[in-house]
Amino acid sequence: GELRKGLTQAEASTAAQAAGMLGIMSWRGEGAAADAAAALRWLSVGASMGHASSLNALGLMHQSGEQVPRDAERATELFKQAAEKQHQGGQVNYALAVMDRKRDVAMANLRAAAENGHILAHYYVAGFHATAVASGGGEASCRMAVASYRFVAEKADWLHSPIPEAAAAAARGDVEAATLRYMQAAEMGYDVGQLNAALLLERPGGALFPATADYERQALAYWTRAANQNVADARTKQGDAYYYGRGAPRSYERAAAAYALAARTEASGLAMWSLGWMFEHGIGVAQDFHLAKRYYDQSLDANDAGRLAAHVSLARLCLRYLWAWASGRDVGEGPLFFAPRPVSRDEEERAAAANARPAANDLDHHWEQAAAEEDDDDSSDDSTKDGVQGGGSLSESLFFIVLLLGAAWMFLPLR
């Protein structure tokens, strides 16, 4: 329990972290039998070196009187030191210790911990706002209370989580058991359960539901819930479901709205590429070659793995733009590639929002209505199975082929 002299700053920081971890593990009995005396010794070493977790844990020992005399003032001082080092547990414990006499300081610490995702901080913040609502605090307090309680419900772990059983079932190849367990976890609010349940439900086969449409509808519900919990690419999968009509009536406008939301909030390269495709072909949005190019360019920056698809799409966009220009159609102002017209980010988002109707926030509720809606005109409204309306004329296709053959003739050596 003693430190040698002459440690560098990095070595001292590592030693403090090691002492704190040893203290916490000794207190919990992790890796060995629980030993509160050893925990106190190691935590004291870590706290003396300014380790935030050690300060917080040592404060808890003083607060509960374990291995040391119960001392609320000493515990509060240790919690304060941990909170000043931005330790989330220390912020919560310090807030609870001073709530009665320093309410503003306590709420500031709770909010700071909540902003970093501390579940207990969210719970206490929600309770504070709920009390304010009961005292006539108004709509703002109500929204804050609901948001924090929702965070707790979605992120807090249950005593008995079905996820380990689901993972074990998937590992041994029991897909139906894994799907049921992940669906159970999804209904309990686990974003991992929603993600994996949606992925498994998209696989063909199985006897959980009587029809394929039931699988697709339930998968869309889980994609929507996962997207609302900011799971990466879930919003893009939601857009795919609307684009192809899986789980809900096909709606290119809803697909475009979902892709626009994913591109803006998640910087999803796939969503950017999909939105570029829709602007290029005028599917679900007004055709706009400049916005199509802008989204293809953004997908290049956001997703290095999709560079080939983005470059091929840009080449196709160039050919389509030249054909439209040669045909006398409106292609927008200014050249497409050599001197792109300046488009601000706000202008892009306004154009996407104006073209992608209904609004993205309506997506969250649409899947619930999908079963009740009829889609009698689905086949007549969509000219092709893959969702490309109009598909391009024969002369346009021949024009592309001639251009590609000309490019091949110029760049390939003659034999």
Side-chain angles (χ1 to χ4, degrees), residues 149-279:
Y149 276 136
R150 176 182 174 181
F151 184 90
V152 174
E154 291 177 344
K155 301 299 183 183
D157 205 357
W158 291 60
L159 182 61
H160 301 291
S161 170
I163 290 180
E165 295 181 21
R172 65 174 180 267
D174 191 345
V175 177
E176 289 193 3
T179 304
L180 285 172
R181 287 300 186 185
Y182 279 129
M183 289 175 66
Q184 182 184 356
E187 297 300 331
M188 294 167 70
Y190 285 100
D191 51 4
V192 173
Q194 293 160 358
L195 174 66
N196 287 314
L199 287 170
L200 291 173
L201 286 169
E202 285 190 341
R203 296 183 178 183
L208 295 177
F209 298 107
T212 301
D214 296 323
Y215 284 89
E216 294 177 345
R217 188 178 300 112
Q218 194 63 47
L220 175 57
Y222 290 141
W223 284 129
T224 301
R225 295 178 189 177
N228 291 340
Q229 294 199 63
N230 301 317
V231 176
D233 293 329
R235 189 71 68 185
T236 305
K237 293 290 290 184
Q238 183 192 40
D240 292 343
Y242 286 118
Y243 187 96
Y244 294 105
R246 294 194 294 254
R250 180 177 295 188
S251 173
Y252 297 124
E253 291 79 10
R254 291 181 183 274
Y259 291 143
L261 188 59
R264 183 173 66 253
T265 61
E266 301 173 10
S268 170
L270 183 57
M272 293 171 184
W273 183 91
S274 299
L275 203 54
W277 170 276
M278 299 185 82
F279 274 112

Side-chain angles (χ1 to χ4, degrees), residues 313-392:
S313 298
L314 285 168
R316 185 190 60 244
L317 176 64
C318 180
L319 297 177
R320 188 177 295 276
Y321 172 82
L322 290 174
W323 173 257
W325 174 78
S327 302
R329 290 160 49 193
D330 182 14
V331 294
E333 298 179 3
L336 182 64
F337 284 87
F338 300 106
R341 67 180 179 89
V343 181
S344 67
R345 185 177 184 85
D346 290 340
E347 186 179 353
E348 291 178 13
E349 293 179 357
R350 283 198 301 271
N355 286 297
R357 294 181 298 269
N361 57 9
D362 186 46
L363 294 172
D364 298 340
H365 307 287
H366 176 69
W367 64 268
E368 297 175 347
Q369 305 168 0
E373 294 181 359
E374 294 184 357
D375 195 27
D376 296 335
D377 299 328
D378 184 58
S379 58
S380 61
D381 289 344
D382 305 319
S383 59
T384 58
K385 182 64 177 175
D386 63 0
V388 178
Q389 295 173 318

Side-chain angles (χ1 to χ4, degrees), residues 8-219:
T8 65
Q9 184 176 357
E11 290 172 337
S13 176
T14 302
Q17 184 178 8
M21 294 176 66
L22 279 171
I24 293 172
M25 293 177 69
S26 298
W27 197 8
R28 292 175 176 172
E30 296 174 347
D35 188 341
L40 176 62
R41 183 171 65 253
W42 285 114
L43 290 174
S44 298
V45 172
S48 68
M49 302 178 70
H51 184 240
S53 294
S54 298
L55 290 165
N56 182 58
L58 193 60
L60 291 173
M61 297 189 80
H62 280 277
Q63 187 180 60
S64 61
E66 187 163 357
Q67 291 293 313
V68 292
R70 191 187 301 269
D71 189 341
E73 291 186 6
R74 176 59 177 160
T76 301
E77 178 60 30
L78 289 167
F79 291 148
K80 181 181 179 181
Q81 293 178 33
E84 290 173 346
K85 295 180 178 294
Q86 309 304 314
H87 187 273
Q88 297 166 25
Q91 290 170 330
V92 173
N93 289 325
Y94 179 59
L96 297 178
V98 302
M99 180 65 76
D100 294 336
R101 60 183 186 273
K102 297 180 180 179
R103 191 175 187 83
D104 292 341
V105 173
M107 289 307 302
N109 278 272
L110 285 177
R111 291 193 183 99
E115 288 173 359
N116 287 303
H118 195 278
I119 294 174
L120 194 57
H122 271 284
Y123 177 78
Y124 285 116
V125 168
F128 171 79
H129 286 290
T131 302
V133 171
S135 303
E139 185 178 349
S141 292
C142 183
R143 287 198 300 266
M144 291 295 295
V146 170
S148 288
Y149 276 136
R150 176 182 174 181
F151 184 90
V152 174
E154 291 177 344
K155 301 299 183 183
D157 205 357
W158 291 60
L159 182 61
H160 301 291
S161 170
I163 290 180
E165 295 181 21
R172 65 174 180 267
D174 191 345
V175 177
E176 289 193 3
T179 304
L180 285 172
R181 287 300 186 185
Y182 279 129
M183 289 175 66
Q184 182 184 356
E187 297 300 331
M188 294 167 70
Y190 285 100
D191 51 4
V192 173
Q194 293 160 358
L195 174 66
N196 287 314
L199 287 170
L200 291 173
L201 286 169
E202 285 190 341
R203 296 183 178 183
L208 295 177
F209 298 107
T212 301
D214 296 323
Y215 284 89
E216 294 177 345
R217 188 178 300 112
Q218 194 63 47

